[in-house]
Amino acid sequence: MPSVVASLLLAATGGMLTIISSLLTLHFQAKGARAMRLEQYAREDAYRLFDKRMEAYAALYLHIGSARQALTRLARANEEDRESRMGAKAARHDLWADYTLIRLIGSQEVLDATAQILFFVDKSIETRTFDADGFIRKLDGFRDSARKELIHTDGSSSQPSRRANAVDDVK
């Protein structure tokens, strides 16, 4: 009789160990699955933010080109030409709208470069002058900081010429 009780006790203990090991396995599998889901969500969020940054930087770059055209027209216009001044102010308004979005989602370096462009535009409107070389330096600063953030370059890649990246005047 004692061997029967011992056998039953041993069987019950073995069954409990099987149940416990199954529960532990399920717990660790669920924990691993949750960690994988959280990692996937983080990757998707990072991709969405990258996509939004790319859109914001591209919109700003296009508005910088419009601002250059407007500032060039303003610098060539006479003092009474209100249309040129209004065009430059409208271009500055578009840059400000882009700046506000970049302030929310952009890197500090890109934000600083964008602020320098805004200051340049403000000064150009105020003085009714346009410094093409100064403009290209500001544009290069924005472009380089945006590239650095978006493609994580180490600076060793060859850069196109500054003139190739300048926004051309409209005829």
Side-chain angles (χ1 to χ4, degrees):
M1 181 97 166
S3 67
V4 173
V5 172
S7 296
L8 288 175
L9 189 57
L10 186 60
T13 305
M16 289 297 281
L17 288 176
T18 303
I19 291 171
I20 290 172
S21 80
S22 295
L23 288 174
L24 285 173
T25 301
L26 288 174
H27 170 74
F28 286 117
Q29 285 176 345
K31 189 175 179 180
R34 182 175 184 270
M36 287 175 56
R37 273 193 316 276
L38 290 175
E39 188 177 312
Q40 179 67 26
Y41 294 153
R43 273 196 304 271
E44 289 170 0
D45 287 345
Y47 177 77
R48 275 191 294 277
L49 182 58
F50 174 85
D51 195 40
K52 292 296 181 190
R53 282 180 173 163
M54 180 70 103
E55 290 172 12
Y57 296 171
L60 176 67
Y61 201 84
L62 291 172
H63 286 136
I64 290 170
S66 298
R68 178 185 178 152
Q69 295 166 1
L71 294 174
T72 302
R73 267 188 243 116
L74 179 64
R76 292 178 184 161
N78 61 30
E79 285 287 324
E80 292 81 34
D81 188 356
R82 289 180 45 91
E83 187 177 321
S84 293
R85 187 164 182 82
M86 295 306 289
K89 285 187 174 187
R92 199 270 185 207
H93 175 77
D94 291 340
L95 290 175
W96 177 257
D98 295 335
Y99 174 80
T100 59
L101 180 58
I102 289 171
R103 188 174 173 106
L104 295 173
I105 64 173
S107 70
Q108 186 62 47
E109 188 176 351
V110 174
L111 181 63
D112 292 343
T114 305
Q116 288 183 16
I117 291 169
L118 278 170
F119 293 139
F120 180 91
V121 169
D122 287 341
K123 182 181 174 198
S124 295
I125 291 172
E126 181 182 322
T127 61
R128 299 181 71 94
T129 60
F130 182 71
D131 173 15
D133 290 333
F135 181 84
I136 290 172
R137 283 192 299 277
K138 302 298 182 201
L139 180 63
D140 286 348
F142 166 73
R143 184 205 61 223
D144 292 346
S145 60
R147 279 183 182 170
K148 181 179 175 184
E149 178 184 345
L150 294 173
I151 59 176
H152 306 289
T153 61
D154 59 3
S156 62
S157 62
S158 63
Q159 298 290 330
S161 73
R162 293 171 69 183
R163 269 288 159 208
N165 289 303
V167 181
D168 295 329
D169 289 335
V170 172
K171 297 176 184 172

